[in-house]
Amino acid sequence: MAILEEWRKVAYNTETDKKEIQRFWERYFLLEKGVYEKLLEHPDEVVEGTVKELAEKYNLTILEMAGFLDGINESLIEENPIEEMEEDTRVSLAFDKEKLYKNMVDAKAEWLYELPQWEQIFDEDKRHKLYLEQKKANTVVKGDKIYPNDPCPCGSGKKYKKCCGRNK
Protein backbone atom coordinates (compact mmCIF):
# COMPACT_ATOMS: atom_id res chain seq x y z
CA MET A 1 0.00 0.00 0.00
CA ALA A 2 1.35 3.43 -0.95
CA ILE A 3 2.16 5.62 2.04
CA LEU A 4 -0.26 8.35 0.98
CA GLU A 5 -3.11 5.84 1.16
CA GLU A 6 -1.97 4.88 4.68
CA TRP A 7 -1.87 8.58 5.66
CA ARG A 8 -5.39 9.13 4.39
CA LYS A 9 -6.68 6.09 6.30
CA VAL A 10 -5.36 7.57 9.53
CA ALA A 11 -6.08 11.26 8.85
CA TYR A 12 -9.60 10.83 7.50
CA ASN A 13 -10.79 7.88 9.54
CA THR A 14 -14.47 8.51 10.25
CA GLU A 15 -14.53 5.92 13.02
CA THR A 16 -11.94 7.73 15.14
CA ASP A 17 -13.19 9.62 18.19
CA LYS A 18 -13.80 13.31 17.32
CA LYS A 19 -11.58 14.61 20.11
CA GLU A 20 -8.80 12.24 19.12
CA ILE A 21 -8.94 13.29 15.45
CA GLN A 22 -9.01 16.95 16.52
CA ARG A 23 -5.83 16.40 18.59
CA PHE A 24 -4.30 14.58 15.62
CA TRP A 25 -4.93 17.54 13.28
CA GLU A 26 -3.80 20.15 15.85
CA ARG A 27 -0.50 18.28 16.23
CA TYR A 28 -0.12 17.84 12.48
CA PHE A 29 -0.80 21.54 11.76
CA LEU A 30 1.96 22.51 14.21
CA LEU A 31 4.37 20.14 12.47
CA GLU A 32 3.30 21.43 9.06
CA LYS A 33 3.82 25.03 10.19
CA GLY A 34 7.35 24.16 11.33
CA VAL A 35 8.23 22.70 7.93
CA TYR A 36 6.84 25.74 6.09
CA GLU A 37 8.79 28.08 8.38
CA LYS A 38 12.00 26.30 7.39
CA LEU A 39 11.13 26.16 3.69
CA LEU A 40 10.16 29.84 3.54
CA GLU A 41 13.41 30.92 5.25
CA HIS A 42 15.18 29.93 1.99
CA PRO A 43 12.43 30.02 -0.63
CA ASP A 44 14.77 29.67 -3.62
CA GLU A 45 16.62 26.65 -2.25
CA VAL A 46 15.47 23.47 -3.97
CA VAL A 47 14.91 20.80 -1.33
CA GLU A 48 15.03 17.25 -2.71
CA GLY A 49 15.47 13.75 -1.39
CA THR A 50 13.60 10.57 -0.68
CA VAL A 51 10.44 10.73 1.37
CA LYS A 52 12.34 9.09 4.24
CA GLU A 53 15.26 11.57 4.03
CA LEU A 54 12.92 14.57 4.06
CA ALA A 55 10.89 13.12 6.93
CA GLU A 56 14.12 12.80 8.94
CA LYS A 57 15.27 16.31 7.92
CA TYR A 58 12.04 17.87 9.22
CA ASN A 59 11.54 15.49 12.20
CA LEU A 60 8.36 13.95 10.81
CA THR A 61 7.22 10.37 10.56
CA ILE A 62 6.97 8.88 7.07
CA LEU A 63 3.16 9.20 7.22
CA GLU A 64 3.33 12.84 8.34
CA MET A 65 5.70 13.56 5.46
CA ALA A 66 3.22 11.90 3.09
CA GLY A 67 0.51 14.22 4.43
CA PHE A 68 2.78 17.23 3.97
CA LEU A 69 3.62 16.20 0.41
CA ASP A 70 -0.07 15.76 -0.31
CA GLY A 71 -0.78 19.28 0.94
CA ILE A 72 2.02 21.05 -0.93
CA ASN A 73 1.85 19.05 -4.17
CA GLU A 74 -0.38 21.46 -6.14
CA SER A 75 1.94 24.35 -5.20
CA LEU A 76 5.08 22.70 -6.56
CA ILE A 77 6.80 23.71 -9.77
CA GLU A 78 6.61 20.05 -10.78
CA GLU A 79 4.19 17.79 -8.89
CA ASN A 80 5.49 14.64 -7.18
CA PRO A 81 4.04 11.16 -7.87
CA ILE A 82 2.29 11.19 -4.49
CA GLU A 83 -0.32 8.52 -5.23
CA GLU A 84 2.27 5.78 -5.68
CA MET A 85 5.20 7.07 -3.60
CA GLU A 86 6.98 4.89 -1.08
CA GLU A 87 9.55 5.98 1.48
CA ASP A 88 12.41 5.56 -1.02
CA THR A 89 10.69 7.66 -3.74
CA ARG A 90 12.69 10.79 -4.66
CA VAL A 91 10.64 13.96 -4.32
CA SER A 92 11.19 17.70 -4.63
CA LEU A 93 9.79 20.55 -2.56
CA ALA A 94 10.59 23.23 -5.17
CA PHE A 95 7.51 25.41 -4.91
CA ASP A 96 5.99 28.27 -6.85
CA LYS A 97 5.85 31.08 -4.27
CA GLU A 98 2.70 32.77 -5.59
CA LYS A 99 0.86 29.50 -6.07
CA LEU A 100 1.80 28.35 -2.56
CA TYR A 101 0.60 31.60 -0.99
CA LYS A 102 -2.69 31.48 -2.90
CA ASN A 103 -3.26 27.81 -2.01
CA MET A 104 -2.71 28.63 1.66
CA VAL A 105 -5.31 31.40 1.35
CA ASP A 106 -7.68 29.02 -0.45
CA ALA A 107 -7.26 26.47 2.35
CA LYS A 108 -8.08 29.20 4.88
CA ALA A 109 -4.78 28.36 6.62
CA GLU A 110 -4.13 31.70 8.31
CA TRP A 111 -1.40 30.13 10.43
CA LEU A 112 0.50 29.53 7.17
CA TYR A 113 -0.17 32.51 4.91
CA GLU A 114 0.42 34.87 7.85
CA LEU A 115 3.86 33.42 8.69
CA PRO A 116 6.41 36.22 9.13
CA GLN A 117 8.69 34.54 6.54
CA TRP A 118 6.30 35.72 3.81
CA GLU A 119 7.31 39.31 4.61
CA GLN A 120 10.81 38.57 3.23
CA ILE A 121 9.33 37.07 0.05
CA PHE A 122 6.48 39.47 -0.83
CA ASP A 123 5.85 42.99 0.40
CA GLU A 124 2.53 43.79 2.06
CA ASP A 125 0.94 45.09 -1.16
CA LYS A 126 1.89 41.95 -3.10
CA ARG A 127 0.55 39.66 -0.36
CA HIS A 128 -2.70 41.65 -0.29
CA LYS A 129 -2.96 41.46 -4.09
CA LEU A 130 -2.40 37.68 -4.08
CA TYR A 131 -4.92 37.29 -1.26
CA LEU A 132 -7.60 39.22 -3.18
CA GLU A 133 -6.85 37.36 -6.44
CA GLN A 134 -7.39 34.03 -4.68
CA LYS A 135 -10.56 35.15 -2.94
CA LYS A 136 -11.99 36.46 -6.22
CA ALA A 137 -11.07 33.23 -8.02
CA ASN A 138 -13.57 31.36 -5.85
CA THR A 139 -16.36 33.93 -6.10
CA VAL A 140 -19.29 32.96 -8.29
CA VAL A 141 -20.77 35.91 -10.15
CA LYS A 142 -24.31 35.44 -11.41
CA GLY A 143 -25.26 37.07 -14.67
CA ASP A 144 -28.19 39.44 -14.89
CA LYS A 145 -31.62 37.86 -15.03
CA ILE A 146 -33.07 37.79 -18.52
CA TYR A 147 -36.70 38.85 -18.75
CA PRO A 148 -39.06 37.76 -21.56
CA ASN A 149 -39.08 41.17 -23.30
CA ASP A 150 -35.27 41.66 -23.15
CA PRO A 151 -33.23 41.24 -26.32
CA CYS A 152 -32.10 37.61 -26.67
CA PRO A 153 -28.49 37.12 -25.53
CA CYS A 154 -27.81 34.94 -28.60
CA GLY A 155 -27.64 38.11 -30.69
CA SER A 156 -30.57 37.33 -33.01
CA GLY A 157 -32.20 40.70 -32.38
CA LYS A 158 -35.44 39.03 -31.32
CA LYS A 159 -37.01 39.28 -27.89
CA TYR A 160 -35.90 36.50 -25.57
CA LYS A 161 -39.47 35.12 -25.31
CA LYS A 162 -39.66 34.76 -29.13
CA CYS A 163 -36.19 33.21 -29.48
CA CYS A 164 -34.22 31.11 -26.99
CA GLY A 165 -36.76 31.59 -24.19
CA ARG A 166 -39.53 29.86 -26.11
CA ASN A 167 -40.88 26.65 -24.62
CA LYS A 168 -39.90 23.99 -27.07
Side-chain angles (χ1 to χ4, degrees), residues 20-116:
E20 189 178 324
I21 201 79
Q22 185 177 359
R23 282 192 300 274
F24 169 86
W25 281 109
E26 286 173 359
R27 182 180 177 283
Y28 172 75
F29 289 146
L30 284 174
L31 295 171
E32 177 187 49
K33 181 180 176 184
V35 176
Y36 278 119
E37 287 171 335
K38 291 174 185 168
L39 282 176
L40 295 172
E41 285 291 328
H42 308 285
D44 297 318
E45 178 185 323
V46 177
V47 177
E48 296 178 322
T50 65
V51 175
K52 184 177 181 178
E53 290 168 347
L54 294 179
E56 290 170 359
K57 177 177 180 157
Y58 295 108
N59 296 321
L60 301 175
T61 65
I62 299 292
L63 289 185
E64 290 164 345
M65 191 68 215
F68 182 82
L69 289 166
D70 186 26
I72 197 173
N73 209 42
E74 290 179 6
S75 302
L76 299 177
I77 294 168
E78 190 173 317
E79 291 188 12
N80 290 310
I82 60 171
E83 294 297 332
E84 59 268 350
M85 72 182 169
E86 298 296 337
E87 63 181 60
D88 60 345
T89 303
R90 288 201 61 77
V91 293
S92 170
L93 297 181
F95 58 92
D96 177 306
K97 296 178 208 84
E98 287 189 10
K99 201 185 290 186
L100 179 61
Y101 188 84
K102 286 179 173 184
N103 286 339
M104 288 175 170
V105 169
D106 190 41
K108 298 176 180 67
E110 288 179 34
W111 67 96
L112 297 177
Y113 69 78
E114 290 184 354
L115 285 170

